[in-house]
Amino acid sequence: MKALLIAGLAIAVGGGAAWSAHGVRAPHASRPASHVPAPPQRDDVESNVPYDGRFTFVRIRFAPLGGGEGWGGRDVKWDHDYPRGERNFARIMHELTLVPTRLRESNILTLDDPELTKYPVAYLCEPGFWAPTDAEAAGLRAYLRKGGFVIFDDFAGTHWYNFAEQIRKVLPDVRLVPLDTTHPIFDSFFHIESLDFDHPNYPVKAQFYGIFEDNDPAKRLMAIVNYNNDIGDYWEWSDGGWLPIELSNQAYRLGVNYVVYAMTR
């Protein structure tokens, strides 16, 4: 019943669609944090809303390696699938769970913003272009240790190397542990029986990694890494008609499980 309901909602949420392309390329060489520019701005970003206890989708903003040039002359990386992705996902959360959820509003925060600690889940996309400053790395380290949960999404191929380098600025001894369906996150709301998942744009198979408290897989999962994957793209274009409905549904199932796991551990 849940699967059928998602199939209908995946088509119903959101408005018209326009295709976008995200090129997979090797990120630029790392630069000292002092030379990283302020995060590029968009003129269509809505203002943040104050914390009120409801689940609010939080997207992490950062200064991308490469300065933000790219698709259409401007590609700030952290904004991929904004705002349709989070709005469509929020509708699914609202319709299928009992979690009080903001349907339209979402927040965009940097990792060193004290407001981040008010929200249990944060989403960071395109970590192949992510290069946290010392303050941002310290902010993420504190957020994870205080119980926060991060979804790393939307990167593939050689972008893994930059992500692996940058996450070690946050947690120098981090272990990126491969996950399978036996982990509780894949049974926190939906029972996910298979992780055989295709990237929406590239001919690669998704892989799932976890970052655990004290590097111990028996302890709390602090972050999930969607490598060779882009569930945000599936959320954004779930009503577009060109992505397989079952894969869009699976992307929603994964997202719901991530949030429910994070809010109950």
Side-chain angles (χ1 to χ4, degrees):
M1 180 63 182
K2 288 178 181 177
L4 292 175
L5 185 54
I6 294 180
L9 288 170
I11 296 173
V13 294
W19 180 255
S20 66
H22 304 156
V24 174
R25 57 180 181 177
H28 294 267
S30 300
R31 293 171 292 172
S34 59
H35 293 160
V36 175
Q41 304 296 313
R42 289 176 42 146
D43 55 13
D44 60 344
V45 170
E46 296 187 358
S47 298
N48 286 346
V49 292
Y51 176 78
D52 69 354
R54 286 181 288 174
F55 170 71
T56 303
F57 192 100
V58 171
R59 178 181 290 269
I60 298 301
R61 177 168 58 96
F62 59 89
L65 293 170
E69 69 276 71
W71 178 255
R74 181 188 64 176
D75 187 354
V76 297
K77 304 301 181 187
W78 59 261
D79 68 337
H80 284 187
D81 310 312
Y82 172 88
R84 285 168 45 91
E86 40 260 70
R87 289 177 183 169
N88 290 350
F89 176 68
R91 174 61 63 183
I92 295 294
M93 283 290 300
H94 173 74
E95 295 289 347
L96 298 186
T97 77
L98 297 178
V99 177
T101 302
R102 288 187 182 273
L103 292 181
R104 179 179 174 84
E105 303 91 349
S106 61
N107 286 346
I108 298 173
L109 301 172
T110 56
L111 290 169
D112 57 351
D113 190 327
E115 287 290 302
L116 181 60
T117 58
K118 296 179 180 179
Y119 302 94
V121 182
Y123 174 86
L124 191 155
C125 71
E126 290 285 359
F129 294 88
W130 174 52
T133 64
D134 290 345
E136 289 170 338
L140 177 54
R141 187 181 312 117
Y143 177 72
L144 294 173
R145 289 176 175 172
K146 290 179 179 179
F149 184 87
V150 177
I151 302 166
F152 292 98
D153 188 44
D154 189 3
F155 72 122
T158 58
H159 288 191
W160 173 267
Y161 301 113
N162 181 69
F163 167 71
E165 176 185 351
Q166 304 304 330
I167 195 64
R168 285 183 171 83
K169 292 181 182 178
V170 179
L171 301 167
D173 299 322
V174 68
R175 287 179 55 216
L176 296 163
V177 180
L179 298 177
D180 59 32
T181 56
T182 63
H183 190 274
I185 199 168
F186 300 116
D187 200 33
S188 61
F189 188 83
F190 293 103
H191 179 59
I192 295 175
E193 298 181 343
S194 173
L195 297 179
D196 184 13
F197 200 80
D198 295 320
H199 193 289
N201 301 313
Y202 311 120
V204 292
K205 284 291 185 181
Q207 300 176 46
F208 299 82
Y209 292 84
I211 297 174
F212 289 91
E213 187 176 17
D214 299 327
N215 282 326
D216 185 349
K219 293 187 177 181
R220 179 177 63 92
L221 182 64
M222 302 189 297
I224 193 157
V225 181
N226 297 327
Y227 174 57
N228 280 344
N229 204 351
D230 187 352
I231 65 172
D233 221 40
Y234 281 111
W235 297 347
E236 180 179 16
W237 305 117
S238 59
D239 61 340
W242 49 75
L243 294 177
I245 189 67
E246 180 53 34
L247 291 180
S248 295
N249 284 349
Q250 185 75 331
Y252 281 126
R253 293 186 192 105
L254 289 169
V256 170
N257 276 34
Y258 295 169
V259 172
V260 171
Y261 175 89
M263 298 183 76
T264 55
R265 297 302 191 277

